[in-house]
Amino acid sequence: MDSIWKRGKGKEGDDVGAAERKHFMQLCGLRVFMSYDDMNNLVATSSVVTALILSFSIALATVPERETFDWPNWREVMYDSEKFRDFAIFTLEQENYNFTVQLDRDLVIDTRAFIEDFEESVAGVGFGGTDEMEMVLELWFAVFPFDRARAYLARFADSSEVGQRLSTSRNFYYFTSAANTLLVSALVGGIALYISLCISPCQFDDSGSALVAWSRAGLPITFMIYVINIIALILFLTAISAYVATSDQHLLEATPFNWFMLVGLAVPLGTLYVSLSIFSVYLAQTTVTSKVKANAELEQGPGEAGMPQNDPAAAVIRAHG
C-alpha cells in the first residue's frame, strides 16, 4: 500500500489531516486514488440517489386504483380471448344494449356482428390494433358493467384463455415490485456501508492501511449499489411507460417509439457514458504515469531508477508499475 499525501496548509501550517490524504487502491484492474473524504462522499451519495429513485418508484406503485387497469385488461382480453368476447356479448344483451350504433351520418356499425366475426389473427394487442375493433371497444367500454367483468376475470384468473392474458397490469406490478425490492436492498446496503466506514479507524489512520483494507470489500459494494440503481431506474421507466400508455389508444400506438427511445437510445447512451467515464480514469492515470517518467528521464536520465525519490506519484509508479 502506498499513500499520496495531498499537500495543503492547516491553521498552523501543517499538512492536511488523514481524511484528505489520497491512497492507492485497485478496482477491477484500475488504479484508484481516493481519500477518506472521497470514499465517504461516494458512499453517502449512493444512498441519497437510491432514496430519491425509491421515493418515485414507491409513489408510482401506490398511484393505481381499482379501476386503473380496467381499460388495458378489457382491451387485452377482448382482443385475445374468444371466450371473454362471448361473455361480453351475453352481458350486454342482459343490459338491453343496442348493438347497432350510428357513429355519424355516414357510418352505422353493427358492433355485435363485428365482434362475433372478429378473428384474433388480424391484430395483436401489443401495439395498437384495428381501427374497427378500437371503435367497438370504446363504445362497449363506456356502458359495460365492470363489476361483472372483474368477477368473470377473477373466476378464470388461472385460465390460459382469459386470466393469463392480462399482461399489462401484471407486468406493471412485476416491474414496480422488482424496482422497489432492488432499491430497498441498495438503500440498506448503502446505510450499512456508511455506518461501517464512519465507525472504522479509516479517518484517523495516517498510513491509509485501514482505508485500503476497507475498500477491498466496501468499494466494489458501493459501485454495485450504483449499478442496482441504474437497473431499478430502467424497471421504473418501463413500468411508468406501461402505466401511461394503457390510458389511451393513441398513446398505446406510440409504444414502439417509446421502447425504441428506451432500449435503442437510452441504454446504449448510458453504456457509452459509463465506458467513457472509465476510459477517462484510464487516460488520467496513463497521463500522470507518462509525465512522471518523462520528468525523471529529463532530470536524472531514463529508467525507473532515475525517478525523483521525493515525488509521491513516482513512488506509487515504482511500487505498482
Side-chain angles (χ1 to χ4, degrees):
M1 188 279 299
D2 295 275
S3 297
I4 292 182
W5 291 61
K6 180 181 178 183
R7 290 292 179 179
K9 298 299 181 180
K11 291 183 179 180
E12 301 186 7
D14 296 330
D15 292 330
V16 295
E20 295 186 23
R21 290 172 187 151
K22 301 286 187 179
H23 305 287
F24 169 83
M25 54 197 73
Q26 290 277 354
L27 177 64
C28 300
L30 287 176
R31 295 169 176 171
V32 180
F33 300 91
M34 298 185 69
S35 66
Y36 173 86
D37 286 346
D38 295 333
M39 190 73 72
N40 185 285
N41 293 333
L42 191 66
V43 174
T45 302
S46 72
S47 297
V48 172
V49 172
T50 303
L52 179 63
I53 302 175
L54 182 61
S55 64
F56 290 115
S57 186
I58 290 179
L60 176 64
T62 57
V63 162
E65 299 179 353
R66 179 177 174 83
E67 297 80 12
T68 299
F69 291 101
D70 279 348
W71 167 252
N73 289 343
W74 160 262
R75 189 173 184 278
E76 284 187 282
V77 292
M78 284 294 288
Y79 263 106
D80 291 345
S81 174
E82 182 178 359
K83 190 174 183 178
F84 186 85
R85 290 196 295 271
D86 292 338
F87 163 76
I89 292 174
F90 170 75
T91 302
L92 290 177
E93 284 178 342
Q94 292 184 312
E95 297 290 323
N96 297 318
Y97 177 70
N98 183 7
F99 290 97
T100 302
V101 178
Q102 184 164 356
L103 191 62
D104 55 33
R105 293 182 179 180
D106 302 321
L107 180 61
V108 177
I109 305 174
D110 186 346
T111 58
R112 176 172 181 164
F114 177 82
I115 292 298
E116 289 177 339
D117 296 337
F118 181 77
E119 296 181 6
E120 297 174 22
S121 60
V122 301
V125 68
F127 303 138
T130 66
D131 294 338
E132 295 82 0
M133 186 62 167
E134 294 297 333
M135 287 191 293
V136 174
L137 291 180
E138 292 284 358
L139 291 170
W140 285 19
F141 182 78
V143 298
F144 201 87
F146 268 87
D147 54 339
R148 298 187 60 180
R150 296 190 199 100
Y152 185 87
L153 294 177
R155 178 188 177 190
F156 295 100
D158 297 328
S159 170
S160 60
E161 296 182 36
V162 181
Q164 295 182 12
R165 305 279 183 166
L166 308 179
S167 61
T168 301
S169 55
R170 185 182 297 112
N171 289 340
F172 173 84
Y173 284 105
Y174 283 163
F175 289 133
T176 53
S177 297
N180 290 338
T181 301
L182 289 174
L183 290 169
V184 168
S185 66
L187 184 60
V188 172
I191 294 174
L193 273 179
Y194 188 76
I195 295 174
S196 170
L197 182 62
C198 289
I199 65 178
S200 70
C202 299
Q203 184 174 3
F204 307 104
D205 179 25
D206 289 343
S207 68
S209 299
L211 181 62
V212 172
W214 186 92
S215 71
R216 291 193 182 104
L219 195 56
I221 294 174
T222 302
F223 279 94
M224 185 184 301
I225 290 175
Y226 281 101
V227 172
I228 289 175
N229 285 336
I230 295 173
I231 296 173
L233 184 60
I234 294 174
L235 292 173
F236 167 77
L237 292 175
T238 303
I240 198 172
S241 298
Y243 174 72
V244 173
T246 55
S247 62
D248 184 83
Q249 172 203 351
H250 304 292
L251 293 178
L252 192 64
E253 291 175 348
T255 303
F257 176 76
N258 179 73
W259 275 104
F260 166 75
M261 295 298 292
L262 179 62
V263 179
L265 192 61
V267 173
L269 282 177
T271 304
L272 177 64
Y273 296 151
V274 173
S275 302
L276 289 177
S277 299
I278 296 174
F279 185 62
S280 298
V281 176
Y282 172 77
L283 286 179
Q285 292 174 353
T286 53
T287 300
V288 170
T289 303
S290 301
K291 182 178 179 181
V292 171
K293 289 183 177 180
N295 290 340
E297 292 176 357
L298 289 175
E299 294 176 6
Q300 302 178 17
E304 186 175 304
M307 289 187 179
Q309 298 300 312
N310 296 326
D311 190 337
V316 174
I317 294 170
R318 282 194 299 271
H320 301 279

